[in-house]
Amino acid sequence: MTKPMIQVGNEVRQMTDAEYAQFVIDQETARLNAEQSANFESLRQAAKSKLESLGLTDDELKALGVFHSVIGANGQ
Amino acid sequence: MTFPVFASGDVLNASDMNAVGLWLLVDGTFTTVTSFAPANNTFTSNYENYRIMVNISALTSDADFTLRLRASGTDDANANYNSMFMGIDSGGTTRNRTGGSATSFNVGESDATFANRYQLVLDICKPRLTARTEIVGGYVFIDKAATYNAATSGGGFYNADTQFDSFSFISSVASSITGTYQVYGYRS
């Protein structure tokens, strides 16, 4: 199996088995993080819809500091 | 001679050279790789602190970027990396990038189409000492969905007293990044 290429110094080579094992772990971790972020975004949109259904406008939400400049991408 | 302006033919004596504060140690390129690392022992006892710069010029697919410290040719993937980068986009929305007890530093992401907007400038402090290694700096990028451009500043630390001699810059996408990097040593 051809493994992903990496560069160390001027040497370009395939990942070793150990490096590839770590790469696979990293991929899975990233997938789980993305899933968590998607869930957060879903909750965020649901909360925003509830507030909007109460009559609050985007500008009013921004004035409250909600959904603007407080919560960024990935809920961070 | 009058430091720091030198004239053609001037002799650079020890005091002139010792006054140079920042020394280019490595200036490299990388092409469609998953990660790149300067050679082992890029961090030496000659310098305590380092500046690194990474510019991505092309990317095969949208990707997240991380950075790991290395020792003796191996990335350190222990869960000791803490990232605290405060970010903001051009519309004023917060775009922080953080991570606690993670297995790498979080150094952003990039959309493939706008990959050449990614630039990292980071100081790595005392990696060769048996002490905490801190990073301080920031990066600019366009997010993977190409919905905003953002800049971050902040830093992080490796939460164990470990000696390192290099680092790896890693893409989440196999064989994907092309660009350039520089490593400088700060004279103490």
Side-chain angles (χ1 to χ4, degrees):
Chain A
M1 181 184 71
T2 302
K3 297 188 178 72
M5 303 301 289
I6 68 170
Q7 179 173 328
V8 179
N10 292 323
E11 181 194 9
V12 179
R13 59 168 172 79
Q14 287 187 36
M15 289 179 175
T16 63
D17 288 346
E19 288 164 345
Y20 183 65
Q22 184 62 53
F23 181 70
V24 171
I25 291 169
D26 292 344
Q27 295 279 297
E28 180 59 11
T29 304
R31 189 189 66 75
L32 291 172
N33 287 341
E35 204 172 272
Q36 206 170 30
S37 295
N39 288 340
F40 179 87
E41 182 58 21
S42 172
L43 285 171
R44 180 176 175 272
Q45 287 303 325
K48 187 167 184 265
S49 296
K50 285 179 185 172
L51 288 170
E52 285 171 344
S53 70
L54 293 173
L56 276 74
T57 65
D58 273 350
D59 285 344
E60 287 168 336
L61 290 173
K62 286 176 184 173
L64 287 173
V66 183
F67 302 115
H68 179 71
S69 298
V70 174
I71 302 170
N74 306 321
Q76 296 163 338
Chain B
M1 79 187 57
T2 306
F3 178 82
V5 179
F6 304 117
S8 178
D10 279 353
V11 174
L12 297 174
N13 57 40
S15 64
D16 296 318
M17 297 309 294
N18 288 337
V20 176
L22 196 62
W23 198 269
L24 178 62
L25 303 174
V26 185
D27 183 8
T29 62
F30 49 91
T31 304
T32 56
V33 292
T34 312
S35 66
F36 73 86
N40 297 356
N41 296 312
T42 292
F43 301 150
T44 67
S45 56
N46 290 336
Y47 301 93
E48 190 164 306
N49 303 309
Y50 299 82
R51 165 153 294 194
I52 67 169
M53 304 181 81
V54 178
N55 178 257
I56 304 294
S57 58
L59 181 63
T60 60
S61 183
D62 302 347
D64 291 304
F65 301 137
T66 55
L67 189 142
R68 283 192 172 117
L69 297 164
R70 285 169 68 84
S72 304
T74 304
D75 284 9
D76 187 312
N78 291 310
N80 288 323
Y81 294 86
N82 294 278
S83 304
M84 297 84 73
F85 288 97
M86 296 197 330
I88 194 163
D89 69 24
S90 55
T93 300
T94 301
R95 305 293 183 183
N96 296 339
R97 292 294 181 272
T98 60
S101 299
T103 59
S104 58
F105 288 123
N106 181 344
V107 288
E109 62 186 83
S110 181
D111 176 79
T113 305
F114 301 105
N116 62 356
R117 315 288 172 85
Y118 182 89
Q119 176 71 55
L120 170 82
V121 178
L122 207 61
D123 284 348
I124 299 182
C125 302
K126 52 187 172 53
R128 283 289 293 191
L129 301 185
T130 308
R132 300 296 197 263
T133 295
E134 295 95 3
I135 62 170
V136 183
Y139 45 91
V140 294
F141 63 95
I142 291 185
D143 73 305
K144 288 184 290 184
T147 54
Y148 59 83
N149 51 73
T152 73
S153 64
F157 57 86
Y158 182 89
N159 196 24
D161 294 344
T162 308
Q163 291 180 299
F164 299 106
D165 63 32
S166 186
F167 69 91
S168 279
F169 183 94
I170 306 160
S171 169
S172 62
V173 176
S175 307
S176 63
I177 50 172
T178 295
T180 60
Y181 71 96
Q182 293 83 34
V183 183
Y184 300 86
Y186 282 102
R187 184 176 178 83
S188 297

